Amino acid sequence: MVLEGEQSVSLDILRQKMADFAKERDWDQFHSPRNLLLALVGEVGELSEIFQWKGEVPKGLPDWEEEEKVHLGEELSDVLLYLVRLSDICGIDLGKAALRKVDLNALKYPVTLCKKLSAVEAEVELDSSNTGAEGDDQV
């Protein structure tokens, strides 16, 4: 059992807990990939509702009440748990797949290219902010 305050929880622990949870309740019969995916989408919808009317939210959620943060944690957990269960039912090692995806993204988006693009985007943004309201009065 994982106790509150421990350093980390592995995907394997979550996978096993979810498998045991479903087996104890005889829910394996309902846990087809399709059903789990639809449940996951529903949970993502519930997660989206939390942010729906808040506009941009700063990192760390400094203006949120503790109760809101607890609710967010519950919805994030629902999404994670369904994702872990779906990957298990599909026979996908989610941890390995995620690490592979990070490696693929590193090849697709090399640091040097991304930094060059960020610098160009910042320059374009700076240029556009220096353009007056009329935009045509620069010589």
Side-chain angles (χ1 to χ4, degrees):
M1 175 174 223
V2 178
L3 300 175
E4 189 175 324
E6 286 192 18
Q7 290 294 334
S8 64
V9 176
S10 71
L11 291 176
D12 266 347
I13 289 172
L14 293 177
R15 181 193 57 73
Q16 189 58 56
K17 283 191 156 296
M18 290 301 293
D20 292 347
F21 187 89
K23 186 175 184 169
E24 290 166 356
R25 290 157 179 78
D26 197 26
W27 285 356
D28 284 328
Q29 60 184 321
F30 306 115
H31 284 190
S32 67
R34 176 190 170 277
N35 287 349
L36 290 168
L37 176 61
L38 292 175
L40 173 62
V41 169
E43 294 299 337
V44 169
E46 290 181 27
L47 178 60
S48 299
E49 286 177 354
I50 295 172
F51 290 93
Q52 186 171 9
W53 304 113
K54 291 196 178 283
E56 281 303 316
V57 177
K59 292 179 182 179
L61 313 176
D63 300 327
W64 287 35
E65 300 291 328
E66 187 59 30
E67 183 178 301
E68 291 177 297
K69 290 181 182 182
V70 168
H71 182 216
L72 176 61
E74 290 169 354
E75 296 306 332
L76 287 167
S77 297
D78 285 340
V79 170
L80 174 62
L81 294 172
Y82 271 116
L83 183 62
V84 167
R85 184 69 174 148
L86 176 60
S87 67
D88 185 30
I89 292 299
C90 291
I92 302 295
D93 182 324
L94 189 57
K96 287 181 183 175
L99 289 174
R100 180 176 181 275
K101 186 63 176 177
V102 169
D103 289 343
L104 289 172
N105 284 342
L107 294 173
K108 186 174 181 180
Y109 305 105
V111 171
T112 53
L113 177 63
C114 291
K115 287 193 176 192
K116 285 179 188 174
L117 288 175
S118 292
V120 169
E121 289 170 355
E123 188 175 318
V124 168
E125 188 174 306
L126 183 61
D127 286 346
S128 67
S129 69
N130 287 335
T131 307
E134 295 78 30
D136 292 331
D137 58 351
Q138 287 188 339
V139 183

